[in-house]
Amino acid sequence: MTKRILFTGGGSAGHVSVNVALIPRFKEEGWTISYIGSHNGIEKDMIKKQFPNVPYHGISSGKLRRYFSMKNFTDPLRVLTGVMQAFRVIKKENPDVIFSKGGFVSVPVMFAAKMAKVPVAIHESDVTPGLANKLAVPFATKIYTTFKETLQHMPADRSTCAGAIIRKDLFLGKRVKGEELTGLQPSKPILLIMGGSLGANAVNKIVRDSLDELLENFSVIHLCGKGNLSPDAPEGYVQYEFVTDELPHILAMTDLVVSRAGSNSIFEFLALKKPMLLIPLPRESSRGDQILNAKSFVQQGFALTLDEKDLTQESFVTTIRQLRDQHWTMVEKMEKAPPSYTIDQMVDEISGLAK
């Protein structure tokens, strides 16, 4: 008899990427797969593009705000509507297990799963659980965390530190292919800068202000986010709005990384043994989760960190030089890091929860 799994999670790429990594393996195992997300969130585009044959069900969801907004009074109604919509989807798809990566849209699904008596596994990426996963924990059959520190916030009898779930294609990159794509040669160390989308301006600006000094010692690959390309591209500096299939090859040629401190990204760099300078989103722009993520990696010797409020041309260039000098020490510590669950291990774990 064919087993069925329903995935949920959305609102940001980080709440979808683990699902994207797991879905192909479940397909290989012959599972019937479906997905619940929001009507217009990033998860809809990602799932429909990569898995056009996976049924996608959009539901209503509110936003869990930590600040005053009139929408705080109407969003509970949206969540309630989402619960009923999710319940109908669950009854229709009849999953044996549900896997949730979090995000606002997952909250109605968790309530509905409890009503339908379907076992649920959730995965929390950050050191401290997000509000959506805090609400989901009472309804979860099993909770997996990325950081071991997160276990202190979770019920001990249902929680396991699985680490990050890294998609297999990241390990298949070829340095030579990266050099062909970028036109850069290994005469200097390669510095990859992930400006990203959220809060990219501060990182992008400091990179471009510092280019003259950076290019003395590095070749620079800059992922600057949509609409953020600069008309000036001196020799040794290659910029992209974003990359997809090219990323494994670019990472293969990379020596050092500058990035925000989103959990999925930094664990990918750890898995690939790439020392990193982390510039976490400030508390004014987030709940502070990236600050804690960065602190954990610094304490373990995998990274250096620089607060955005302290970001100047001098501090940026100086810290990158320090990162270069500590490169091999960091790599040695990364090699001793506890391994994360493989995709196969995670699939086995989730399969074991199926009703």
Side-chain angles (χ1 to χ4, degrees), residues 133 168 273 347:
N133 269 348
K168 291 182 178 179
K273 311 297 185 293
V347 168

Side-chain angles (χ1 to χ4, degrees), residues 146-163:
T146 299
F147 290 90
K148 64 181 183 298
E149 298 98 312
T150 316
L151 293 174
Q152 62 186 304
H153 304 285
M154 299 295 186
D157 59 331
R158 291 184 285 136
S159 304
T160 297
C161 180

Side-chain angles (χ1 to χ4, degrees), residues 303-317:
L304 299 179
T305 188
L306 191 57
D307 289 344
E308 187 172 302
K309 63 179 175 59
D310 299 325
L311 195 57
T312 64
Q313 186 174 334
E314 181 181 0
S315 66
F316 183 64
V317 173

Side-chain angles (χ1 to χ4, degrees), residues 279-349:
I279 306 172
L281 279 172
R283 292 189 183 275
E284 295 80 13
S285 304
S286 69
R287 65 183 179 87
D289 50 301
Q290 290 198 9
I291 296 172
L292 296 176
N293 294 349
K295 181 179 179 181
S296 175
F297 265 42
V298 170
Q299 289 175 340
Q300 295 176 78
F302 306 152
L304 299 179
T305 188
L306 191 57
D307 289 344
E308 187 172 302
K309 63 179 175 59
D310 299 325
L311 195 57
T312 64
Q313 186 174 334
E314 181 181 0
S315 66
F316 183 64
V317 173
T318 298
T319 309
I320 287 177
R321 288 172 178 160
Q322 292 172 352
L323 184 68
R324 177 196 58 194
D325 293 342
Q326 297 180 38
H327 175 274
W328 291 113
T329 301
M330 287 187 177
V331 169
E332 289 176 2
K333 291 182 178 179
M334 289 174 165
E335 289 173 344
K336 296 175 183 177
S340 295
Y341 280 23
T342 65
I343 289 178
D344 287 346
Q345 286 176 302
M346 200 68 204
V347 168
D348 288 343
E349 287 271 338

Side-chain angles (χ1 to χ4, degrees), residues 90-105:
I90 290 170
K91 298 304 287 185
K92 174 186 175 184
E93 297 290 347
N94 192 28
D96 297 287
V97 64
I98 293 173
F99 182 80
S100 171
K101 192 58 194 74
F104 306 132
V105 74

Side-chain angles (χ1 to χ4, degrees), residues 154-280:
M154 299 295 186
D157 59 331
R158 291 184 285 136
S159 304
T160 297
C161 180
I165 312 304
I166 311 296
R167 59 191 193 272
K168 291 182 178 179
D169 66 293
L170 282 186
F171 297 98
L172 303 178
K174 304 295 184 184
R175 185 182 186 101
V176 172
K177 183 66 174 178
E179 291 170 359
E180 291 175 0
L181 289 167
T182 62
L184 298 175
Q185 298 302 315
S187 56
K188 294 180 181 178
I190 304 295
L191 177 65
L192 173 62
I193 298 167
M194 309 275 280
S197 56
L198 186 59
N201 289 341
V203 175
N204 290 343
K205 183 178 186 305
I206 204 67
V207 168
R208 287 164 179 154
D209 288 347
S210 309
L211 264 183
D212 288 345
E213 290 179 89
L214 292 177
L215 291 173
E216 290 177 4
N217 299 295
F218 302 94
S219 293
V220 177
I221 303 172
H222 187 187
L223 308 186
C224 55
K226 188 173 181 179
N228 293 324
L229 291 175
S230 169
D232 298 319
E235 185 178 354
Y237 172 67
V238 178
Q239 56 182 333
Y240 301 92
E241 289 187 328
F242 55 87
V243 293
T244 52
D245 296 341
E246 306 93 339
L247 183 59
H249 305 301
I250 288 175
L251 284 169
M253 68 183 297
T254 293
D255 297 293
L256 305 172
V257 178
V258 176
S259 174
R260 291 298 193 181
S263 173
N264 292 318
S265 295
I266 65 177
F267 270 90
E268 289 174 352
F269 304 145
L270 171 60
L272 295 169
K273 311 297 185 293
K274 305 296 182 182
M276 59 200 96
L277 167 59
L278 302 178
I279 306 172

Side-chain angles (χ1 to χ4, degrees), residues 107 110-111 113-114 118-120 122 135-142 158:
V107 175
M110 297 299 95
F111 280 92
K114 185 69 173 181
V118 178
V120 174
I122 65 175
L135 294 173
V137 163
F139 307 104
T141 311
K142 185 73 175 182
R158 291 184 285 136

